[in-house]
Amino acid sequence: MASQAPRKPPTVPASTDSGDGDLSVVLERRTLKVRPPQMYQVVMLNDDYTPMEFVVVVIQEFFGKDLETATQIMLKIHLDGKGVCGVYSRDVAATKVDQVLDAAAKAGHPLKCVSEPVDF
Ligand code: TYC
């Protein structure tokens, strides 16, 4: 899992004493930086034993793909060793991984998948 860079602690406003008795405080203007949430891709891995048909059904069922798209993804995994089934927030991606591993284990297949942060 990717860790985020630690935030800098807030700085104390600079005080200036011009010597004339007026003590002024300079407030630093900061732009608020917001970032989109880190997204995670669910990557499915090839193996020599899980039937292609099972993989296609899993991709349709858990990743909402139609038969043709699921077949293309399965073939990509089969040929390249791995392939992305979908991109989600961290918790949803983790749930998809659990669902796939659970379905595979129940069916007695060694199918594996992992979630990994997407860099953008
Ligand atoms: N390589 C498997 C076979 O030939 C099919 C397969 C495809 C398995 C994708 C896993 O993630 C996978 N039966």
Side-chain angles (χ1 to χ4, degrees):
M1 187 170 61
S3 58
Q4 300 206 330
R7 286 175 192 273
K8 275 196 245 165
T11 53
V12 176
S15 295
T16 57
D17 186 354
S18 53
D20 59 6
D22 284 344
L23 190 64
S24 55
V25 175
V26 179
L27 293 176
E28 195 180 325
R29 186 178 288 281
R30 287 247 185 122
T31 311
L32 185 64
K33 292 200 183 97
V34 288
R35 280 188 270 182
Q38 173 73 60
M39 299 299 278
Y40 290 74
Q41 57 190 14
V42 178
V43 178
M44 196 170 285
L45 308 174
N46 187 37
D47 66 71
D48 292 337
Y49 305 102
T50 305
M52 291 182 172
E53 297 76 16
F54 181 82
V55 178
V56 171
V57 169
V58 161
I59 294 172
Q60 287 182 93
E61 188 162 324
F62 298 122
F63 300 96
K65 309 297 186 194
D66 59 34
L67 175 62
E68 191 184 333
T69 306
T71 303
Q72 284 170 358
I73 294 171
M74 182 280 295
L75 285 173
K76 188 209 181 291
I77 301 165
H78 177 71
L79 296 172
D80 297 351
K82 62 182 181 176
V84 176
C85 293
V87 177
Y88 307 95
S89 63
R90 187 176 63 175
D91 288 357
V92 173
T95 299
K96 302 278 179 196
V97 169
D98 287 348
Q99 288 173 324
V100 171
L101 297 182
D102 193 51
K106 281 187 173 131
H109 302 310
L111 181 63
K112 294 284 174 275
C113 69
V114 295
S115 84
E116 55 185 42
V118 181
D119 27 49
F120 46 90

